[in-house]
Amino acid sequence: MNRTLSKLLRCAIYTRKSTEHNLDLAFTSLDAQREACEAYIQSQAQEGWRRVPEHYDDGGLSGASLQRPALQALLAEVRARHIDMVVVYKVDRLTRSLADFAKLIELFDAHEVSFVSVTQSFNTSSSMGRLTLNVLLSFAQFERELIGERVRDKIAASKRKGLWVGGPVPLGYAAVDKKIVMIPAEAEAVRTIFARYLELGSLRQLADDLSRRGICSKTRQLANGRSIGGGWFGVGALAYLLRNRFYIGDVVYRGEVNRGDHAPILDRELFEAVQGRLAAQAVQRRCRLRGAPALLAGRIFDERGNRMSPTHTNKGGVRYRYYVSQAVLRNTPAAASAITRVPAPEIEALVVTALRDHLQANAAALQPTPDNERELVEQHVERVTLGPKHIKLQLRQSIHVPEACDPIDGTGPSAGCVNGRATTFTFPWTSPIPATVKGIVHVPACNTPMKPSRREALLTAIARARTWVDDLAQGRVASWAAVARREGKAERHVRLQSRRQVPAGLIDQEYGVRAGRDRGGDLHPGAGSSPRCCRSAASGLHPYPVSGRRRRRCRWKRCAGRGAHLGACRASPSGG
């Protein structure tokens, strides 16, 4: 009697083949693996196993990496919880790396997915099953590494025989039936490149000359159908081409030169002449660098390891030299340290002075110290690291002074012989102050709560000022003098409280009279408060720290509706 299935298990089959050999046949290794897995799933149908229709096949891909299209699609389905079981023919079809397999098992466990190998029976739910699985993966990884060693040995043996074993084909040649053949047109271009370099003597001029002649780099067709190359030569590409011994019939592998079985394009005399010219240009470039004014070029770094390159600027006929961090030059502020630029003369003087003091205080004082600063730096300084409060100076690995030690018994000053020991010391300094930041540095706090006493005093002053304006506008008082007598204050005191005047047409618009001098055009400062300031004061907040005695002006142009000004603050001190 058939028992009811408690749950259907969705089973996905994964297959893989390491090479593309025989993948074009009607029945491949991938098909054989899939048939075996399908038969196993069919045998477990009574347990609820059901095969999903999708195929996850990786043909011609190694198991050393998890970056395989079908495997990544399978893992995406696992994360989406669309699969309950992964079925493979053998464990090594999934991966040959023990570390990658541990990651996969962790992913499967997190999403409650089981793993089954058709030809290797084990149960990952028990400790013994996991041990068996790890042993199998260890042997699979060992086999992969052994295959890699055999391939490398095969490549080395082929190179020693001068055979071409793959890779990019240089300009002038083409690969035909796994053999290297010469292309006459490209070979003539190669001869032109070598000959023109001997005439010009400059890689930059050579690149410009080749552009005018229409000589481009080799076009290569990738496996995915995309083409690369075919552009103008750069300086780096030309330097590599001019040093390539493949053009004289040699094959180089790991520094070992062997005679190849392909036809050479150049004769050795021309090639050696070009190599001599390149070596001479390199010596001249080093001499130019040594003659440059930057003493610490190539030796100075910031605290994050970014090289600091020399640069300069001219102002008023004077040249100012600096060392600038490469993080700034490459526009990567996240990698920059606190020190991005330092003046070159000051930092060079500090380093030279500290170096001389250190050499004089140690055994190197017995050896003559060069008077030339450049020779001193090149002889002793290995690296200079700038910190915010100190400079770390790393000297050369060894300083040997033969005269300091007795050649027979080794007696003498023990500090005179320092061999094979790196010397590092630090000395304090103050990093330059960064440039002043432009823009808003501090914004005053707005809508800050007011003290109750200050709020009451401010509202009282505003309400009193509005009452006085109403009295003046309605003709109930004739002048500020009458207001001062009524309030029991001196007229001067009332007038001094006024910081600005109400606009001329404002009272005329609101009351039909003009605030001239006859009606006391100088008003109390509270009378000129804008509606925004009045509303803030009434609510206990104010955008400025003001009071009735000392108040900053609230600008009328920030307030919409100027006619609302006169009626905005006819309120009692309680805010009613």
Side-chain angles (χ1 to χ4, degrees):
M1 183 175 60
N2 296 332
R3 60 188 179 87
T4 303
L5 299 178
S6 59
K7 181 181 179 182
L8 293 179
L9 300 178
R10 297 162 295 181
C11 303
I13 300 175
Y14 176 77
T15 62
R16 182 182 64 84
K17 191 176 186 298
S18 299
T19 64
E20 297 181 355
H21 182 63
N22 292 335
L23 282 180
D24 53 348
L25 299 179
F27 187 80
T28 64
S29 173
L30 300 177
D31 299 326
Q33 296 176 41
R34 173 165 291 277
E35 283 191 357
C37 294
E38 288 177 351
Y40 189 83
I41 293 175
Q42 185 64 30
S43 66
Q44 302 296 324
Q46 71 279 3
E47 299 294 336
W49 291 25
R50 296 294 184 269
R51 176 178 59 87
V52 297
E54 290 80 5
H55 287 206
Y56 302 98
D57 304 324
D58 281 321
L61 297 175
S62 172
S65 172
L66 297 180
Q67 300 304 320
R68 288 167 265 161
L71 179 60
Q72 292 300 321
L74 175 64
L75 297 181
E77 293 296 315
V78 169
R79 295 186 181 95
R81 298 185 182 274
H82 295 162
I83 292 175
D84 301 315
M85 186 172 297
V86 176
V87 182
V88 297
Y89 182 71
K90 284 189 177 181
V91 178
D92 60 357
R93 297 301 88 192
L94 188 63
T95 179
R96 284 183 177 269
S97 172
L98 188 60
D100 290 342
F101 185 77
K103 296 177 183 177
L104 291 176
I105 292 298
E106 182 179 359
L107 177 64
F108 293 164
D109 292 343
H111 295 83
E112 299 179 353
V113 174
S114 302
F115 172 70
V116 174
S117 175
V118 172
T119 59
Q120 297 161 333
S121 298
F122 52 82
N123 184 6
T124 57
S125 62
S126 64
S127 59
M128 184 59 66
R130 291 183 178 273
L131 174 61
T132 305
L133 190 59
N134 290 335
V135 170
L136 291 175
L137 261 296
S138 298
F139 278 102
Q141 181 172 347
F142 169 73
E143 182 182 2
R144 176 178 61 83
E145 295 174 355
L146 197 61
I147 292 174
E149 291 179 359
R150 289 201 302 265
V151 172
R152 286 190 293 269
D153 293 342
K154 173 65 168 53
I155 293 176
S158 301
K159 291 282 189 178
R160 294 188 188 99
K161 292 181 178 294
L163 301 177
W164 181 74
V165 294
V169 182
L171 179 68
Y173 294 98
V176 179
D177 296 332
K178 298 184 179 180
K179 296 263 184 200
I180 294 295
V181 297
M182 185 188 302
I183 302 178
E186 293 185 2
E188 187 61 31
V190 172
R191 297 188 187 99
T192 302
I193 292 174
F194 276 79
R196 291 296 295 164
Y197 177 73
L198 283 181
E199 297 175 6
L200 300 175
S202 170
L203 292 175
R204 177 58 61 188
Q205 295 180 13
L206 177 61
D208 297 338
D209 182 73
L210 295 179
S211 299
R212 290 190 294 268
R213 293 171 179 266
I215 299 178
C216 302
S217 61
K218 189 178 184 65
T219 303
R220 295 181 174 86
Q221 191 80 15
L222 301 181
N224 57 5
R226 189 169 61 93
S227 298
I228 61 173
W232 303 118
F233 278 102
V235 173
L238 285 175
Y240 179 80
L241 185 146
L242 294 173
R243 291 184 173 90
N244 194 347
R245 301 186 65 89
F246 200 84
Y247 292 119
I248 57 175
D250 292 342
V251 175
V252 181
Y253 182 70
R254 293 186 176 181
E256 183 180 352
V257 180
N258 302 281
R259 186 64 183 173
D261 64 345
H262 60 280
I265 294 178
L266 305 172
D267 54 6
R268 291 187 175 270
E269 291 76 12
L270 176 61
F271 184 81
E272 295 301 335
V274 170
Q275 302 314 302
R277 189 66 179 270
L278 288 172
Q281 292 289 341
V283 172
Q284 293 178 9
R285 183 174 181 275
R286 285 195 295 268
C287 292
R288 288 196 303 270
L289 290 177
R290 290 178 179 177
L295 292 178
L296 304 178
R299 296 179 174 88
I300 185 169
F301 301 82
D302 62 15
E303 58 182 347
R304 292 192 177 182
N306 299 310
R307 186 186 298 273
M308 305 193 72
S309 300
T311 184
H312 67 274
T313 183
N314 298 319
K315 185 176 182 181
V318 180
R319 171 168 291 189
Y320 299 92
R321 296 190 299 112
Y322 302 94
Y323 289 103
V324 182
S325 174
Q326 279 291 326
V328 177
L329 298 179
R330 292 193 300 264
N331 195 21
T332 54
S337 66
I339 303 174
T340 57
R341 187 181 71 169
V342 294
E346 287 81 351
I347 200 68
E348 290 170 355
L350 285 173
V351 170
V352 171
T353 302
L355 179 60
R356 291 188 184 277
D357 295 343
H358 177 79
L359 295 178
Q360 291 175 3
N362 292 276
L366 301 177
Q367 185 182 12
T369 302
D371 295 332
N372 185 275
E373 293 182 350
R374 184 171 300 278
E375 295 180 1
L376 179 67
V377 171
E378 291 182 354
Q379 182 177 348
H380 295 284
V381 177
E382 180 72 23
R383 184 185 180 99
V384 178
T385 305
L386 299 183
K389 296 183 179 180
H390 67 275
I391 298 177
K392 182 168 69 174
L393 198 60
Q394 180 178 345
L395 305 184
R396 298 290 185 183
Q397 289 293 328
S398 61
I399 303 175
H400 182 65
V401 186
E403 296 82 359
C405 298
D406 191 282
I408 300 178
D409 57 2
T411 59
S414 59
C417 291
V418 182
N419 294 313
R421 181 170 58 88
T423 304
T424 302
F425 68 95
T426 60
F427 56 93
W429 83 303
T430 302
S431 60
I433 301 175
T436 304
V437 179
K438 296 182 179 180
I440 298 176
V441 179
H442 173 69
V443 179
C446 295
N447 294 331
T448 55
M450 299 177 62
K451 294 181 179 180
S453 58
R454 180 170 298 181
R455 170 180 175 272
E456 183 177 356
L458 181 59
L459 290 176
T460 301
I462 294 175
R464 185 184 300 120
R466 301 314 310 153
T467 303
W468 295 343
V469 170
D470 291 344
D471 293 342
L472 286 171
Q474 298 297 332
R476 290 191 288 269
V477 291
S479 64
W480 281 113
V483 173
R485 288 193 299 271
R486 188 185 66 184
E487 298 295 331
K489 298 181 180 297
E491 182 181 356
R492 181 174 177 274
H493 172 78
V494 174
R495 290 186 176 275
L496 286 178
Q497 294 296 319
S498 222
R499 299 271 182 102
R500 65 192 182 108
Q501 295 179 351
V502 174
L506 184 59
I507 298 181
D508 182 56
Q509 171 189 349
E510 188 76 11
Y511 296 100
V513 296
R514 185 171 300 277
R517 176 65 61 180
D518 56 339
R519 289 200 177 269
D522 292 337
L523 301 180
H524 190 275
S529 298
S530 69
R532 179 173 63 90
C533 296
C534 294
R535 286 193 298 268
S536 299
S539 61
L541 302 174
H542 208 286
Y544 303 104
V546 299
S547 64
R549 181 178 296 273
R550 184 176 184 178
R551 184 180 59 84
R552 298 183 183 181
R553 296 180 180 179
C554 297
R555 298 187 180 274
W556 265 88
K557 65 180 180 180
R558 295 181 180 177
C559 301
R562 303 177 70 178
H565 171 70
L566 291 176
C569 295
R570 295 192 191 100
S572 64
S574 61

